[in-house]
Amino acid sequence: MVEHRRFGNLLPHLILWVGVLIVAFPVYIAFIASTQDNATIANGQMSLLPGGHFLETYYRTLFVGSSGTTREPVGTMLFNSFVMAMLIAVGKIAISLISAYAIVYFRFPFRMTIFWLIFITLMLPVEVRIYPTYKIVADLNLLDSYAGLTLPLIASATATLLFRQFFMTVPDELLEASRIDGAGPFRFFWDTLLPLSRTNMAALFVILFILGWNQYLWPLLITTRDDMQTIQIGIRKMIVTSDALTEWPVVMATAVLAMLPPVAVVVLMQKLFVRGLVETEK
Amino acid sequence: MLKNAVFQSKFLPYWLVLPQLAVVLVFFYWPALQAVAQSFLLQDAFGLSTTFVWFENYQELLADPDYFSAILRTFVFSVLIAVSSLSLALLLAVMADRPLRGSMFYRTLLIWPYAVAPPVVGVLWIFMLNPSLGVIAHGLRAIGVDWNPLLDGNQAATLIILAAAWKQISYNFLFFLAGLQAIPGSVIEAAAIDGARPMRRFWTIVFPLLSPTIFFLIVVNIVYAFFETFGIIDTMTRGGPAKATETLVYKVYSDGLLGGNLGSSAAQSVILMGIVIALTAFQFRFVERKVNY
């Protein structure tokens, strides 16, 4: 600290607490609502302390499903979201690693053309080319499949750029050395480059997992079967326009469950995640 | 950009780029081109015949007062979301940057909404602000506000902006914190020795040094407000009441899916692509040049 003040750090603490309150309040309310019974909430008499229906609501949410529009239990949706997020994260990292490797470590005709073809994809989120992409996925018979859910989202270049940048900083001597040891392109990639990229891969995994888990518009369009629904779609279908029919405790329990995996990933891998975020987005 | 040590191989590099190239060509370039092509076509009501109409879709769009109000609305939303979440995040980051007891605790609690999905954010806020049963709605009623976002367009818009800004605080907070920590302490100490008070130090030293971060975040926040608010809007208001919360992206979705007007929807997509490319180019030109990593 540059200077000492009489009241110390009272003001910063106060401001930070207000910030934490603003950030945490909606989630606290969601949790509270998920432990109370539907009638109390529908009457607008929700208390700010946990009720006694915690186990009952969560059991029903996870394994039985709500009686409203979506009859699929949230357990299935969680599974679908998990598969989707994993496929996007792992798939994107895998194809980006090898294409970045080719672009950095090989000289071949059309190298820069290919690099630019990949680079341009950075600029356009799936939202702006949504209908044509939908049509192509439909023509390929990939509606309601995990491939259809994930492939269009894998088609962008963030990871390739990150790996390319990282590979550029790997000293040339490493390649010379493994060449002297008689290593070919595969051995060098597997024994030298991959272990060096571990932290980058982990950080990227966190970001891509969250990105995949939180997808909304795309799964909304291409999944029609209830059992292929992801949790983000399921939750919106639970909100019925007329208040009386919405089972708020179940909706709130679903919201809490939908938040848990990505938030856990962020909190557990905070350091890695922060570094990865700063590196990829800038 | 050239490495000195490389492998020699005729076919291997092509095999290595093949998977990504295939995915990008099939699921990126092909649909993007289709969007451009579709925007020049007019389909009859039954989807039986299409005619090539040059720029008719665009002309119709630009002559449509609805489209202009959607542009204006998206713009206003973006500015309000960016300003409110950026200023709050900056304040929190400046506070969390001090050597405080328990600063890790604060940081952890402040960054996790980054991971919460937009539709979940929408659900949380619509519940709190639900006119008949929401906690905050009760509070508002108690202080005499006639709160009904289902009928009142301005209130619905406020709802969207609140929820969207809430989600973005943590992201901005992270970048501000990283930016603040990159400022050398000696510069600030020197100013303190010269007798500059904290507020003055902030505005004359910290803020200018932070400006690349701020600039970068403004662009990111605008892109966020354009695209990622879709999930929030769709869960909270579905563009209503009376289109009061229909942004450009939501309009692409509702015109294409609900209206079945593919030509217009495609033309809107193309215009959106133009906006995103312009924003990205703008960012590269003005930010990348000034920032030293």
Side-chain angles (χ1 to χ4, degrees):
Chain A
M1 228 15 228
V2 180
E3 63 216 314
H4 287 282
R5 266 176 285 163
R6 208 178 311 163
F7 296 106
N9 288 315
L10 200 64
L11 186 67
H13 276 294
L14 200 72
I15 292 175
L16 285 169
W17 266 112
V18 173
V20 168
L21 268 182
I22 292 174
V23 162
F25 186 68
V27 182
Y28 176 75
I29 292 293
F31 176 73
I32 296 301
S34 72
T35 63
Q36 301 189 357
D37 81 291
N38 201 19
T40 324
I41 293 176
N43 289 337
Q45 292 163 331
M46 192 183 116
S47 76
L48 289 178
L49 292 171
H53 297 262
F54 175 80
L55 286 177
E56 183 197 323
T57 311
Y58 280 83
Y59 178 80
R60 205 156 70 86
T61 308
L62 270 174
F63 303 110
V64 184
S66 66
S67 56
T69 41
T70 150
R71 292 151 299 277
E72 210 59 41
V74 169
T76 318
M77 300 176 194
L78 282 171
F79 177 77
N80 289 337
S81 286
F82 183 77
V83 172
M84 184 182 172
M86 284 300 278
L87 284 176
I88 288 176
V90 173
K92 210 163 172 170
I93 289 175
I95 64 171
S96 302
L97 258 177
I98 55 174
S99 61
Y101 179 57
I103 285 167
V104 174
Y105 281 97
F106 292 87
R107 295 280 159 278
F108 53 101
F110 304 113
R111 190 175 71 100
M112 285 317 282
T113 319
I114 291 172
F115 174 72
W116 280 105
L117 272 177
I118 295 172
F119 182 82
I120 289 172
T121 62
L122 254 191
M123 298 188 196
L124 297 178
V126 74
E127 280 83 354
V128 301
R129 53 193 158 91
I130 199 90
Y131 285 108
T133 315
Y134 173 83
K135 199 169 164 288
I136 281 158
V137 169
D139 290 346
L140 294 172
N141 271 326
L142 292 175
L143 294 181
D144 281 317
S145 76
Y146 289 121
L149 266 177
T150 52
L151 283 174
L153 295 164
I154 289 177
S156 95
T158 20
T160 315
L161 285 187
L162 183 79
F163 285 128
R164 177 184 160 270
Q165 246 162 355
F166 172 70
F167 290 165
M168 301 296 284
T169 67
V170 173
D172 285 350
E173 286 76 13
L174 281 177
L175 177 58
E176 314 275 8
S178 48
R179 263 223 195 107
I180 292 168
D181 288 346
F186 287 106
R187 273 277 298 282
F188 173 70
F189 179 71
W190 195 256
D191 290 345
T192 311
L193 217 49
L194 270 193
L196 284 174
S197 327
R198 257 200 320 243
T199 43
N200 280 305
M201 278 160 68
L204 207 57
F205 178 83
V206 175
I207 293 166
L208 293 174
F209 182 87
I210 294 167
L211 188 91
W213 183 271
N214 289 351
Q215 280 303 318
Y216 179 69
L217 179 53
W218 185 243
L220 179 68
L221 281 180
I222 82 141
T223 57
T224 49
R225 285 196 343 239
D226 279 352
D227 64 321
M228 278 302 290
Q229 222 158 62
T230 64
I231 192 159
Q232 316 294 353
I233 309 303
I235 196 171
R236 125 136 174 190
K237 291 196 177 164
M238 286 179 192
I239 305 180
V240 186
T241 10
S242 107
D243 286 341
L245 295 172
T246 306
E247 289 181 80
W248 284 107
V250 173
V251 176
M252 288 297 128
T254 310
V256 172
L257 290 168
M259 266 185 269
L260 279 180
V263 169
V265 167
V266 167
V267 172
L268 290 177
M269 302 181 82
Q270 206 183 125
K271 272 223 178 79
L272 266 180
F273 160 72
V274 171
R275 192 160 81 199
L277 191 70
V278 173
E279 277 172 7
T280 39
E281 302 282 338
K282 269 206 175 176
Chain B
M1 116 137 259
L2 284 171
K3 275 222 177 255
N4 290 321
V6 293
F7 286 108
Q8 298 300 328
S9 173
K10 224 171 180 169
F11 299 108
L12 183 60
Y14 293 104
W15 285 111
L16 292 174
V17 292
L18 185 70
Q20 181 154 36
L21 213 54
V23 171
V24 163
L25 287 177
V26 175
F27 294 102
F28 183 89
Y29 282 99
W30 184 233
L33 286 176
Q34 292 251 300
V36 176
Q38 182 77 254
S39 73
F40 293 112
L41 298 175
L42 197 66
Q43 212 165 35
D44 70 33
F46 305 102
L48 296 175
S49 67
T50 45
T51 5
F52 187 76
V53 291
W54 284 107
F55 291 94
E56 203 176 294
N57 286 318
Y58 291 93
Q59 282 166 358
E60 224 166 82
L61 205 57
L62 296 176
D64 181 4
D66 263 6
Y67 192 63
F68 267 99
S69 49
I71 292 178
L72 189 67
R73 192 178 302 124
T74 310
F75 191 74
V76 171
F77 277 25
S78 307
V79 170
L80 289 176
I81 291 169
V83 168
S84 53
S85 68
L86 280 171
S87 49
L88 193 56
L90 181 58
L91 176 68
L92 291 171
V94 169
M95 295 302 153
D97 185 41
R98 296 170 181 229
L100 288 181
R101 195 184 286 247
S103 63
M104 264 321 271
F105 166 81
Y106 290 124
R107 283 175 205 178
T108 307
L109 280 180
L110 286 170
I111 67 164
W112 58 262
Y114 165 81
V116 179
V120 173
V121 172
V123 167
L124 293 182
W125 282 84
I126 198 127
F127 178 64
M128 291 193 299
L129 286 155
N130 182 301
S132 63
L133 46 90
V135 180
I136 298 184
H138 276 294
L140 285 173
R141 186 107 8 97
I143 56 171
V145 180
D146 183 18
W147 177 256
N148 195 346
L150 293 176
L151 297 174
D152 186 322
N154 286 332
Q155 291 183 354
T158 314
L159 201 63
I160 301 289
I161 291 164
L162 261 182
W166 177 81
K167 181 182 158 41
Q168 199 61 3
I169 291 173
S170 55
Y171 184 90
N172 296 337
F173 172 78
L174 268 176
F175 276 93
F176 278 138
L177 199 60
L180 285 168
Q181 286 176 346
I183 295 175
S186 54
V187 181
I188 296 169
E189 274 162 32
I193 293 168
D194 286 347
R197 307 287 307 151
M199 276 311 263
R200 205 191 143 108
R201 289 205 298 269
F202 178 78
W203 288 116
T204 56
I205 298 170
V206 177
F207 196 78
L209 282 174
L210 214 54
S211 61
T213 311
I214 295 172
F215 210 84
F216 163 79
L217 283 176
I218 288 175
V219 175
V220 168
N221 277 266
I222 288 174
V223 172
Y224 161 82
F226 265 66
F227 298 103
E228 273 161 70
T229 48
F230 178 88
I232 295 178
I233 294 171
D234 198 44
T235 36
M236 291 181 97
T237 61
R238 305 200 184 164
K243 301 197 170 180
T245 54
E246 193 176 75
T247 58
L248 289 172
V249 173
Y250 204 86
K251 200 167 157 54
V252 172
Y253 168 77
S254 67
D255 285 2
L257 187 87
L258 310 173
N261 193 347
L262 288 181
S264 168
S265 177
Q268 292 179 33
S269 293
V270 173
I271 292 175
L272 266 179
M273 288 187 208
I275 296 177
V276 185
I277 290 172
L279 274 174
T280 317
F282 185 68
Q283 179 182 336
F284 266 105
R285 206 176 141 81
F286 289 95
V287 185
E288 301 292 309
R289 227 179 19 196
K290 285 181 198 156
V291 187
N292 304 309
Y293 304 110

